[in-house]
Amino acid sequence: MSIKIEMLKCFVMVVQRGSLADAADGLGRTPSAVSMMLKQFEDHIGVPLFETARKSKLTTLGALIYEEARREVRHFENSVSVIEGLSRSEFGYLRLVVTPSVAINILPPVVRRFTEMFSGVRVDIRDMDSAAIGQEMLMDRADIGIGSISSAGYLQCTELFSDRFGVVCRRDHPLARDWAQLQWRDVQEYVLIANNLCHLITDPDFEPILARSRMMVPSTTSLLGLVREGVGITVLPRLAVSDAQDDIAFLPLRDVTARRTVHIVSQPHLRLMPAAREFLSLISEMKRDGTLLTAM
């Protein structure tokens, strides 16, 4: 008996759910049917895949086979999605995960051009911090991610742009008054609201300022809300602060050496759906012709 995709899906589901009963629920089958299919798979392999009858722990070989089976099932499901989309005269779907600053200042013109070119594509966009983007990509819950990700395992990773850090405060804040030569020492006396990007700044003069901070706010939206309220100041990359925010000032630092580098990451090219390949091609073209970073 040859190995069928249903056997692989059954095996993967049992591993992920941890029991025959839960796997049966996920597959819409009876536990006995799942047990029989799993036995056929093990018989074909010729060795046990689980250490115990409870199916809660894989053997060493079972773990290796699971990784291969999981990749094949994912590839099969992606292929089915493409085929079904083509049968409806569609092109497929595109799942993007990006940082908030990219979602606001970089993505809109790219998506506008993309949807004009491929009107049948379903586009799903979620914004989150860079750590979450990496996890979503590694868990195969997104096709393309854009954020401060320098290492992405087996994923393809390409630098997209970098921008400098600066102090962000209210426009009526004392720092915003004639501070053309702002330095780290000038912000020491003010309350700093830290954020997840602060760890990218390794300037020695910034370290004691960050160490004194008693507030950490990961969300850029919440962070800027607190700045508007006058709770304190913060430090962000240039792109995170839109020029349209009239009540917020971005103040370049004369002695800052750190920059935030943004990468675009994707699943390996051969595993990408057509829509994702076209999006990568478009964003690369816009980077080359200079239309991608007009907000910077």
Side-chain angles (χ1 to χ4, degrees), residues 73-239:
V73 169
R74 185 167 57 219
H75 178 72
F76 175 80
E77 291 173 346
N78 283 344
S79 298
V80 169
S81 296
V82 173
I83 292 169
E84 291 177 345
L86 291 173
S87 71
R88 297 191 298 268
S89 297
E90 296 175 354
F91 194 76
Y93 67 91
L94 174 64
R95 302 170 299 169
L96 302 173
V97 285
V98 300
T99 58
S101 61
V102 169
I104 294 170
N105 298 308
I106 292 292
L107 210 57
V110 183
V111 172
R112 177 183 59 78
R113 285 184 56 177
F114 182 80
T115 54
E116 288 173 353
M117 295 166 62
F118 307 104
S119 59
V121 175
R122 174 183 173 183
V123 181
D124 175 23
I125 303 172
R126 291 174 290 149
D127 63 88
M128 59 191 68
D129 63 37
S130 294
I133 288 173
Q135 288 299 313
E136 290 298 287
M137 293 296 300
L138 291 173
M139 294 297 292
D140 201 19
R141 291 195 287 256
D143 303 303
I144 294 172
I146 306 178
S148 301
I149 306 169
S150 57
S151 177
Y154 65 87
L155 301 172
Q156 293 181 331
C157 185
T158 305
E159 181 176 332
L160 199 58
F161 66 88
S162 68
D163 53 350
R164 60 181 176 175
F165 282 89
V167 172
V168 179
C169 62
R170 285 169 48 138
R171 287 200 178 275
D172 60 359
H173 192 279
L175 286 176
R177 301 171 190 165
D178 302 322
W179 281 95
Q181 300 294 318
L182 189 66
Q183 300 182 61
W184 286 121
R185 65 186 182 187
D186 298 317
V187 306
Q188 291 179 357
E189 63 182 278
Y190 300 102
V191 174
L192 175 74
I193 308 172
N195 60 76
N196 286 343
L197 294 176
C198 286
H199 74 279
L200 298 177
I201 305 174
T202 58
D203 298 353
D205 292 337
F206 179 65
E207 292 179 5
I209 298 173
L210 180 60
R212 288 195 298 270
S213 176
R214 294 296 178 265
M215 191 176 302
M216 166 63 75
V217 181
S219 166
T220 303
T221 301
S222 301
L223 186 64
L224 294 180
L226 292 172
V227 171
R228 286 191 180 92
E229 190 62 28
V231 175
I233 64 173
T234 192
V235 181
L236 285 170
R238 180 65 186 91
L239 193 65

Side-chain angles (χ1 to χ4, degrees), residues 143 154-156 266-273 277:
D143 303 303
Y154 65 87
L155 301 172
Q156 293 181 331
S266 67
Q267 303 297 335
H269 190 74
L270 291 177
R271 288 170 46 196
L272 281 177
M273 292 180 57
R277 295 179 189 176

